[in-house]
Amino acid sequence: MIGPVGCVDIILNRNKVTPLFIVHCTMERNPDWKGFLRNKVLYWFNRYSLPRWLVFIVDCTGVFLIFFVAYLLRFNLNFKEIQFESSFYQALIATGIYAIFGLIFHSYSGLIRHTTLTDISLVFIVTSVSAISLLVVTYCARFLNWGETLTIPISIILIHYVTVTVFQFFERILIKLLFSFANSQWRERKNVLIFGAGEMGFIVKRLILSDPNTGFNVAGFLDNNRHLQGKMINNLHVYNPGLLSQKFILDRNISTLIIAIRNLSPARKSDIIKRAVNLGLEVLETPAVDKWLNGELKLNQLRKVKLDDLLSRDPIKLNMELIGKGLNNKVIMVTGAAGSIGSEIVRQLTGFNIRKLILLDQAETPMFHLENELKAGYPKCKIEILLADVTHPVQMERIFQLLHPEIVFHAAAYKHVPMMEDNPHEAIRVNVGGTKLLARLSAKYGVRKFVMISTDKAINPTNVMGASKRICEMTVQLYAQKPGNLTQFIITRFGNVLGSNGSVIPTFAKQIENGGPVTVTHPEISRYFMTIPEACQLVLEAGFMGNGGEIFVFDMGKPVRIADLANEMIRLSGLVPGKDIKIEFTGLRPGEKLHEELITDYETSKTTYNPKIRIAQLKNAVNTELLLRIENLLAVLYTLDKQQVVDYCGELVPEFRSTNGSYKNGNDDPDSSAGVQAGDEKHITRQARDMNPPSH
């Protein structure tokens, strides 16, 4: 039965939608004979696929029968001149030789409907090698008198070779053409441009053309090579990328751009992606060659570009000799090892000759996953996993006593601004307390280098988290200035990293996935961004260019407006901002800045040999009495209320101006009773001395 009822019956009987359902329904809409034939052919292609053994038998049968055709052609179709008995045995010999080489080269193994140039090449190799082998057998038989059966006429071998090759080519191409015909109007196709008319571009083109189910139609190439621009390659135009415009896209109905260039600089790639995304194109890219499946590119490996690609810059040139020398045969401890920055530092450290990696974090599940990743990817690297709290003095002391770390990368910290605004005590306890404890133990146990990961939010802080990190920086500098100190204390300072846990990137991605809206706090809010690998490379570089006491500031490029970031992420998802996904502005959160900085009002900066790294220089030295005041705060921390904690942070960090309306700003009003007055500070100092005498 043909029609809607018949379609339903078929679905119920088979308990699934089959190609027959589509065939019947389509036949009703396309009564012309081409549509009918196309649907019938497609039905058989969808339902049946020739097994390899059957393709092999068909090839061998063709070789056998074509041998007689070769005799007929040789003798002008005169049957009387053909000796069928000897030709029968010769045909068996020829078939046997062709079968052997067919098995060796697997010329029968590909899906015929998806025949590629590689498959055709294999057929040519098999027929050529087989023909050469038959010629060798024939010449040997003539010179060694092996008999008439093995003495095959040269003309027969050559005619047979040409005919078999043409037959097997035609057999495969005919089936491929039938399949292409059946699929020609089966689905709507997207017109795509391939950026790159080189080897990689042609691989992608062949991949698309070999499979009609891709849903793509190659409309041409884009290439920077002036010698190729304006020319036709395989009936496809090669265009100058400068021609890419809204009119160009609309005239050719282009919807997708595929980047297919092996050696494309990140900066150039970023420019191409931005331009394409702004024109409303979907952008795909080919993976690196070493990630191809079994050395062959598959269509499902073409991936959508990510925001990292959009913001990426040229690769950072590292002094690998300096870093390698500094890390060679060392015991290295990374705190916050399961976090975004900590885990990437760990991955990069595995590429050096280190004696042991100590990974410390209190997050059990992320540490479990990191351990499995390292065991699978770096089985020779000696690692020790420690679930520990960086603020626990007894536990930390025992770790330093037993494991003797020589280099410490301190990445453990609380970092979420709104959460720390609600929990200022924990911001101080973990960030300041953990840093101070690790710095003290590093100095005590002779750690060679202590590298602290700081943030641009420590500059002229407007929130508790930023103030706590600024206090951490001052604490590390104070230990670097201590008389007799042998540990090199180094601070690295940078902005946001793309894709870190809890950053705007995964938040936006989730909101887009859920259909929006994407929430941005302010239309003009901006942030510095870096990729996680970039940041960690610079951490390693800075760690071994410093002598101690320096604050290394990373070149983050230009600040990025978060609203622009949201728009670009929506476009990268193939959607239209404001139409498919709305952007809502929610207002600045408590303690949030409109723009971040990398140098404080009290600092200047100077260059280093690496243009990506500068050194922040304090105009005034850090007050040595500050360490005692920090210890006093930590000692009585949970006896204070939130306002007192914020006020005390303001006393320690004069440039701290809280923008959280929940807290009064003592720094802005010296006469305010909300500030920590001299008497209050003496009271806190007395409390601290009574509760926990400070240790230096």
Side-chain angles (χ1 to χ4, degrees):
M1 184 187 299
I2 298 176
V5 177
C7 295
V8 173
D9 287 342
I10 290 169
I11 295 170
L12 292 174
N13 289 338
R14 299 203 175 186
N15 201 28
K16 61 179 181 179
V17 178
T18 68
L20 195 57
F21 167 78
I22 299 168
V23 168
H24 284 176
C25 292
T26 311
M27 280 174 58
E28 189 178 82
R29 292 196 302 267
N30 300 304
D32 61 293
W33 67 272
K34 284 186 179 180
F36 174 79
L37 182 60
R38 181 181 294 114
N39 291 325
K40 280 293 184 186
V41 172
L42 188 62
Y43 167 67
W44 288 103
F45 272 117
N46 285 334
R47 188 165 185 177
Y48 302 109
S49 178
L50 287 177
R52 292 180 178 181
W53 62 266
L54 187 56
V55 176
F56 178 72
I57 289 174
V58 169
D59 285 347
C60 290
T61 304
V63 169
F64 181 78
L65 295 176
I66 288 170
F67 198 86
F68 296 106
V69 174
Y71 261 103
L72 286 171
L73 293 174
R74 167 66 180 80
F75 293 107
N76 298 320
L77 303 180
N78 190 342
F79 286 86
K80 294 179 180 179
E81 294 189 28
I82 301 173
Q83 297 179 5
F84 281 99
E85 185 177 350
S86 62
S87 63
F88 177 79
Y89 290 113
Q90 288 172 353
L92 287 177
I93 292 168
T95 302
I97 290 175
Y98 274 81
I100 289 169
F101 286 109
L103 289 168
I104 291 172
F105 291 102
H106 298 283
S107 60
Y108 57 90
S109 60
L111 267 176
I112 296 183
R113 69 184 68 173
H114 298 312
T115 296
T116 63
L117 189 61
T118 303
D119 300 314
I120 295 294
S121 301
L122 285 176
V123 169
F124 181 73
I125 291 170
V126 168
T127 57
S128 299
V129 174
S130 300
I132 292 168
S133 301
L134 280 173
L135 288 171
V136 171
V137 169
T138 295
Y139 279 112
C140 289
R142 286 184 180 182
F143 287 111
L144 300 175
N145 296 318
W146 285 353
E148 184 181 348
T149 302
L150 293 174
T151 309
I152 305 171
I154 303 300
S155 58
I156 297 297
I157 293 174
L158 295 177
I159 293 170
H160 180 256
Y161 162 64
V162 173
T163 313
V164 164
T165 303
V166 170
F167 165 74
Q168 293 196 3
F169 280 8
F170 182 75
E171 169 196 8
R172 284 158 172 76
I173 291 170
L174 178 63
I175 293 175
K176 182 178 176 66
L177 288 173
L178 279 172
F179 186 65
S180 298
F181 165 74
N183 276 277
S184 60
Q185 294 182 7
W186 183 246
R187 59 187 296 183
E188 187 179 346
R189 293 173 179 275
K190 295 179 179 179
N191 283 337
V192 303
L193 286 173
I194 298 175
F195 195 100
E199 182 185 358
M200 181 73 77
F202 277 87
I203 290 172
V204 173
K205 187 211 76 169
R206 285 197 298 269
L207 180 68
I208 291 171
L209 296 181
S210 67
D211 186 358
N213 287 320
T214 59
F216 291 139
N217 175 59
V218 181
F221 292 97
L222 295 174
D223 202 287
N224 290 315
N225 189 335
R226 293 182 180 179
H227 298 294
L228 295 177
Q229 292 169 4
K231 295 183 179 178
M232 295 276 289
I233 301 178
N234 289 2
N235 293 322
L236 293 172
H237 286 281
V238 180
Y239 300 104
N240 183 337
L243 296 175
L244 206 59
S245 64
Q246 198 67 52
K247 184 178 184 303
F248 182 92
I249 296 300
L250 292 174
D251 288 348
R252 292 158 182 81
N253 195 27
I254 307 296
S255 61
T256 303
L257 177 72
I258 300 177
I259 298 174
I261 297 182
R262 285 185 183 176
N263 301 314
L264 187 64
S265 71
R268 178 64 179 140
K269 180 179 174 182
S270 176
D271 290 341
I272 294 165
I273 295 170
K274 282 180 182 177
R275 193 169 180 184
V277 167
N278 288 334
L279 289 170
L281 295 179
E282 176 189 34
V283 185
L284 305 175
E285 69 167 339
T286 54
V289 176
D290 58 355
K291 294 183 180 178
W292 292 7
L293 296 174
N294 300 319
E296 187 176 346
L297 179 64
K298 303 293 183 184
L299 191 72
N300 59 9
Q301 289 183 287
L302 296 177
R303 70 169 184 88
K304 286 188 176 183
V305 294
K306 297 180 292 187
L307 194 65
D308 298 39
D309 303 310
L310 197 64
L311 299 177
S312 59
R313 294 176 281 270
D314 287 330
I316 295 169
K317 294 179 181 179
L318 300 178
N319 188 337
M320 300 302 289
E321 184 179 351
L322 176 68
I323 298 171
K325 186 178 178 181
L327 293 172
N328 187 47
N329 200 32
K330 298 292 192 302
V331 178
I332 301 169
M333 182 166 79
V334 181
T335 70
S340 306
I341 295 294
S343 61
E344 181 60 28
I345 290 174
V346 168
R347 292 184 192 97
Q348 295 195 17
L349 288 172
T350 56
F352 295 91
N353 179 34
I354 55 180
R355 194 190 326 160
K356 190 177 186 180
L357 256 180
I358 304 166
L359 312 185
L360 191 148
D361 205 301
Q362 62 178 354
E364 177 196 14
T365 301
M367 283 289 272
F368 169 77
H369 292 307
L370 179 62
E371 182 181 23
N372 288 341
E373 177 191 335
L374 294 174
K375 284 180 178 178
Y378 313 96
K380 293 182 180 179
C381 184
K382 188 176 180 182
I383 62 171
E384 182 153 350
I385 302 292
L386 298 177
L387 290 176
D389 181 351
V390 293
T391 67
H392 196 295
V394 177
Q395 188 180 24
M396 288 297 107
E397 180 115 28
R398 184 170 176 80
I399 289 170
F400 276 81
Q401 281 177 341
L402 296 178
L403 301 179
H404 306 291
E406 297 169 88
I407 299 171
V408 174
F409 289 94
H410 177 41
Y414 282 145
K415 62 181 181 180
H416 294 293
V417 170
M419 195 167 289
M420 293 304 99
E421 287 298 291
D422 293 335
N423 299 275
H425 297 80
E426 283 300 284
I428 300 301
R429 184 186 71 84
V430 173
N431 293 355
V432 178
T435 299
K436 181 185 175 301
L437 176 60
L438 289 171
R440 181 176 67 80
L441 292 174
S442 295
K444 179 178 178 180
Y445 289 98
V447 170
R448 296 188 183 189
K449 278 188 182 289
F450 178 95
V451 183
M452 175 199 152
I453 313 298
S454 189
T455 170
D456 58 357
K457 291 177 177 60
I459 311 308
N460 299 322
T462 60
N463 52 68
V464 173
M465 194 282 281
S468 71
K469 293 297 281 185
R470 179 64 187 134
I471 297 170
C472 291
E473 290 183 354
M474 294 189 291
T475 301
V476 171
Q477 287 181 308
L478 285 167
Y479 274 97
Q481 295 170 11
K482 276 197 168 188
N485 168 60
L486 298 177
T487 301
Q488 293 181 350
F489 288 98
I490 292 163
I491 299 162
T492 60
R493 184 193 288 165
F494 51 90
N496 296 46
V497 287
L498 290 173
S500 65
N501 297 328
S503 74
V504 294
I505 310 304
T507 302
F508 285 173
K510 188 70 176 175
Q511 290 174 339
I512 293 168
E513 184 183 338
N514 293 334
V518 171
T519 55
V520 179
T521 57
H522 192 282
E524 296 302 320
I525 191 169
S526 67
R527 290 292 180 266
Y528 289 100
F529 281 100
M530 234 182 192
T531 64
I532 295 175
E534 273 182 322
C536 294
Q537 286 169 358
L538 291 176
V539 167
L540 293 182
E541 176 93 340
F544 292 98
M545 69 164 60
N547 297 313
E550 301 98 335
I551 298 178
F552 289 99
V553 181
F554 298 166
D555 175 13
M556 303 288 295
K558 295 179 180 178
V560 178
R561 286 177 70 243
I562 303 301
D564 292 342
L565 199 66
N567 279 305
E568 286 167 346
M569 284 193 67
I570 293 169
R571 290 194 188 100
L572 282 176
S573 302
L575 302 169
V576 180
K579 181 181 177 183
D580 300 318
I581 301 286
K582 291 184 178 180
I583 296 177
E584 290 184 359
F585 297 101
T586 58
L588 290 174
R589 296 174 297 181
E592 191 170 39
K593 270 186 180 181
L594 199 58
H595 307 291
E596 298 289 4
E597 306 152 271
L598 291 172
I599 299 291
T600 71
D601 297 336
Y602 305 97
E603 295 172 334
T604 58
S605 70
K606 68 175 183 178
T607 59
T608 66
Y609 65 80
N610 188 325
K612 295 279 186 180
I613 303 175
R614 299 179 68 85
I615 299 175
Q617 293 182 303
L618 285 173
K619 294 178 182 177
N620 302 310
V622 178
N623 189 341
T624 53
E625 294 180 2
L626 191 66
L627 193 60
L628 177 61
R629 297 167 67 190
I630 292 170
E631 288 176 342
N632 291 340
L633 173 61
L634 291 169
V636 298
L637 182 63
Y638 271 95
T639 67
L640 308 176
D641 60 29
K642 290 182 180 182
Q643 181 65 58
Q644 287 176 311
V645 172
V646 172
D647 289 343
Y648 205 100
C649 287
E651 290 295 320
L652 297 174
V653 184
E655 64 269 28
F656 174 35
R657 297 287 185 276
S658 176
T659 58
N660 186 344
S662 301
Y663 300 128
K664 295 177 182 178
N665 231 324
N667 279 347
D668 289 338
D669 183 6
D671 298 324
S672 171
S673 59
V676 178
Q677 304 300 320
D680 296 329
E681 187 172 348
K682 288 178 182 178
H683 175 65
I684 291 174
T685 304
R686 254 194 327 272
Q687 273 188 286
R689 196 165 48 239
D690 294 340
M691 295 176 65
N692 187 15
S695 58
H696 294 280

